[in-house]
Amino acid sequence: MLKSLSSNNRTVFDIVNIVVGLGLLVSPWLLGFTAETYAAWNAWIVGAAIAVIAAAALYAFYEAEEWVNLVLGIWAVAAPWALGFAAVTAATWVHVVAGLGVAVLAAGNIWFSHNRPLSAA
């Protein structure tokens, strides 16, 4: 059984968060919603923030970085409705998928850092 989340697994989680953040960052150009001001700016800002924070977590792991990414992931999921661009299908989907991915990885990282299951051996 998994005794704790190793630093290699945390590294993989952070690399995935960097890729997801960069994906959100470039999504307005790739999916064609740059004319939607709130959707595009939110994607650019939140995507860049997720990528930068995940990169910082690669350098030195601190739990605060995971909490910030968890909040950013939740915000990305809620942003289409909070900022009023839920009618823009591409923007909504990319925000929800990226936000859920980042939030789940950050929550998993936090959970594994606190809950170290006992070995079955």
Side-chain angles (χ1 to χ4, degrees), residues 47-121:
I50 290 169
V52 166
I53 291 167
L58 278 177
Y59 178 71
F61 176 76
Y62 296 106
E63 189 176 326
E65 293 158 343
E66 300 306 325
W67 281 104
V68 171
N69 264 348
L70 177 63
V71 169
L72 286 171
I74 292 168
W75 168 252
V77 171
W81 294 274
L83 297 177
F85 61 86
V88 183
T89 307
T92 299
W93 276 106
V94 76
H95 277 84
V96 169
V97 170
L100 285 175
V102 169
V104 166
L105 288 174
N109 226 345
I110 293 165
W111 189 82
F112 281 124
S113 70
H114 288 286
N115 298 311
R116 296 181 183 95
L118 298 175
S119 175

